Amino acid sequence: MGHHRQLDAIAAVDPNLIALPAIHLIGTIRDVGHAQRRCQQRAISASSIRIAVAYGDQDHHYGMQRWTLMSRQLRRSPYARYERELNGLQLVGSTAAEDGSVLLTTCKWNWSLRRS
């Protein structure tokens, strides 16, 4: 079984991911398909996005929220085995005030955080 399927199987039973609010790939005002296209181009799965929101370090950057998944968070999670595949994943977006859902404008791999 490939690591994507194994990651999906672990994510399906992780209570931290089950309790997450809805996550929407909304893109930008000028390009509503931006986030979805970037995730596809960069091979970032829905499970990886959910893991980054649940376990990633959250901060504010230029008026947007940013979730960054780094090795230290992964080592203390059920995804320690996939540290190499998930390290450096960054999501940029905001949280909706009404229901707390996550609205993502883009996602990327931060290569300066990834180790060889």
Side-chain angles (χ1 to χ4, degrees), residues 91-116:
L91 309 174
V92 178
S94 60
T95 305
E98 312 83 49
D99 59 357
S101 62
V102 177
L103 309 172
L104 296 179
T105 56
T106 194
C107 51
K108 68 176 190 168
W109 294 107
N110 186 330
W111 296 106
S112 65
L113 297 175
R114 294 189 71 135
R115 296 182 182 151
S116 56

Side-chain angles (χ1 to χ4, degrees), residues 62-89:
Y62 290 104
M64 300 293 286
Q65 283 182 287
R66 182 173 60 178
W67 294 266
T68 306
L69 199 52
M70 294 183 280
S71 293
R72 68 176 170 261
Q73 288 98 2
L74 290 167
R75 287 184 196 130
R76 297 183 307 248
S77 75
Y79 308 99
R81 180 177 172 190
Y82 302 100
E83 175 184 343
R84 196 173 167 99
E85 290 87 5
L86 294 171
N87 185 37
L89 177 59

Side-chain angles (χ1 to χ4, degrees), residues 4-61:
H4 286 292
R5 284 188 183 172
Q6 292 172 346
L7 196 62
D8 290 342
I10 295 170
V13 295
D14 185 354
N16 290 330
L17 298 186
I18 294 169
L20 279 179
I23 299 172
H24 305 285
L25 301 174
I26 63 165
T28 63
I29 293 172
R30 292 186 179 157
D31 184 6
V32 294
H34 179 82
Q36 185 175 5
R37 192 171 49 257
R38 290 295 184 240
C39 288
Q40 182 181 10
Q41 290 170 342
R42 295 166 179 164
I44 299 171
S45 68
S47 294
S48 298
I49 291 171
R50 293 174 48 225
I51 293 165
V53 170
Y55 292 98
D57 184 34
Q58 185 178 1
D59 66 342
H60 292 276
H61 187 70

